[in-house]
Amino acid sequence: MTDAWEVRDWRIHVADLYAEVRAEPDPEVAHRMWAHGRAALLRDHPATPVPAGARASFTPEVAPYDPALRFVVRVEPAAPERREVPTPTDGVVPFERVGRVDLPGLGGLDVWWLDSYGGGIFVPLKDASPRTYGGGRYVLDTVKGADLGGTREALVVDLNFAYQPSCAYSSDWVCPLPGPGNTLALPVDAGELHVPVAG
């Protein structure tokens, strides 16, 4: 079982990686840095969700960068909604909808606030592609450091940075997954694609 200090160190590395991503002015270069950094963490870090037997040879599949899937959009008002996600490890994880972003040509995604200690903006994504994890992926999860930058008036939502949650790799992890307001009817073959692992 992963211990608290390993998880803490993982989060430090994730936050540092996203700080480098935000500091790089070329999104395609930032994406390469991110893909390389994520691969190293998933393969080598003690807190990786990749099962031990699969780590040494594990390489995530990341789609080539597509500039058409990078959006800088206003977070529009949305009717208040609360989601309470029960988990066996963290109890009930509460989220409050704080807005919605429109991604031209694709549809809209709800923007959530993690309404518990620490807080954070959360934008999960589920799409129609058979190449992505069926449970969905995360684009932003700022409480864990996955933050592409921006403001309410101009939030960076770059689907090339969509990544698999820990539960995609192992049932030891429990993850809040996208609801209907974070489901796109079209395929989004960007970011991390689903690579089944056995360990």
Side-chain angles (χ1 to χ4, degrees):
M1 191 68 184
T2 305
D3 76 24
W5 295 103
E6 291 169 346
V7 173
R8 174 183 180 267
D9 189 68
W10 169 278
R11 290 190 180 172
I12 289 169
H13 280 80
V14 169
D16 289 348
L17 177 59
Y18 277 84
E20 292 176 17
V21 163
R22 290 191 301 274
E24 171 53 55
D26 184 332
E28 190 166 356
V29 172
H31 182 256
R32 284 197 299 270
M33 293 165 37
W34 172 80
H36 177 77
R38 282 272 305 165
L41 283 168
L42 288 167
R43 184 179 55 249
D44 302 327
H45 196 279
T48 178
V50 176
R55 291 176 192 169
S57 60
F58 181 75
T59 303
E61 183 179 354
V62 178
Y65 191 81
D66 181 351
L69 294 175
R70 182 180 191 272
F71 304 91
V72 180
V73 288
R74 178 178 173 80
V75 180
E76 301 291 350
E81 182 179 330
R82 185 173 176 89
R83 284 185 69 200
E84 295 189 342
V85 181
T87 71
T89 52
D90 297 325
V92 174
V93 180
F95 293 93
E96 297 280 353
R97 184 166 60 185
V98 294
R100 189 162 171 84
V101 291
D102 178 51
L103 309 181
L106 288 175
L109 295 174
D110 287 338
V111 178
W112 298 90
W113 177 256
L114 174 60
D115 192 29
S116 62
Y117 182 78
I121 292 294
F122 181 56
V123 181
L125 164 70
K126 186 172 183 178
D127 69 278
S129 174
R131 300 181 66 204
T132 59
Y133 177 56
R137 295 175 292 165
Y138 298 168
V139 180
L140 301 175
D141 189 4
T142 67
V143 74
K144 295 181 181 175
D147 187 350
L148 297 171
T151 64
R152 180 186 300 194
E153 288 71 35
L155 185 65
V156 178
V157 180
D158 191 332
L159 303 185
N160 292 284
F161 291 83
Y163 66 94
Q164 295 191 139
S166 298
C167 55
Y169 299 101
S170 169
S171 60
D172 290 346
W173 298 85
V174 178
C175 309
L177 297 175
N182 291 84
T183 301
L184 300 178
L186 297 173
V188 179
D189 291 323
E192 286 182 357
L193 305 178
H194 187 50
V195 178
V197 294

